[in-house]
Amino acid sequence: HHELVASALAVAKGKEINPDLQIGAMVSHVPIYSFSSNPEDIMLAEEEMRQRYFFPDVQVRGYYPSYALKEFEREGYQIKMEDGDDEILRNGTVDYLGFSYYMSTTVKSD
């Protein structure tokens, strides 16, 4: 959470310095594909990709996606969020997203 808030603060500061700046983020993108057309493999790949999408989802949208909030709740994660963090995330979204792609992987449900 604090890393995402720091990113949003950096974007906002950059825009304050020069509103014409285009500020983005780069992610190491390693896609996860299903091993087969088995629906369980497909669903597992979708669920695993959420881990890949989490940071960019927050940085681009400016809020936590529902799948992440549900996971926090389900797993009992207690993330310390300060008053005003939601607004910082909303106001510090990136203008573009860059991908660093080196490989992909597959998952099999069994």
Side-chain angles (χ1 to χ4, degrees):
H1 172 73
H2 296 98
E3 190 174 335
L4 291 165
V5 170
S7 170
L9 287 169
V11 169
K13 189 62 165 178
K15 296 288 184 160
E16 180 184 314
I17 292 168
N18 182 346
D20 295 329
L21 289 177
Q22 293 289 297
I23 302 172
M26 191 282 294
V27 295
S28 173
H29 190 69
V30 180
I32 300 171
Y33 299 104
S34 63
F35 181 79
S36 73
S37 60
N38 176 336
E40 291 177 4
D41 288 353
I42 294 169
M43 192 62 206
L44 180 59
E46 288 294 317
E47 290 169 352
E48 292 293 320
M49 278 303 294
R50 289 179 177 166
Q51 297 298 318
R52 304 288 198 262
Y53 294 141
F54 173 68
F55 276 85
D57 272 351
V58 177
Q59 291 176 298
V60 170
R61 296 177 179 180
Y63 57 88
Y64 284 93
S66 60
Y67 68 81
L69 297 174
K70 283 290 183 189
E71 182 178 345
F72 296 167
E73 181 183 324
R74 209 173 28 253
E75 298 294 331
Y77 297 155
Q78 299 295 320
I79 298 171
K80 183 166 175 47
M81 297 185 189
E82 305 292 336
D83 289 339
D85 283 356
D86 288 342
E87 184 178 351
I88 291 169
L89 292 175
R90 270 193 314 276
N91 293 329
T93 57
V94 296
D95 298 306
Y96 65 90
L97 191 60
F99 293 94
S100 179
Y101 176 84
Y102 296 103
M103 65 182 179
S104 60
T105 188
T106 61
V107 291
K108 191 172 182 182
S109 60
D110 64 356

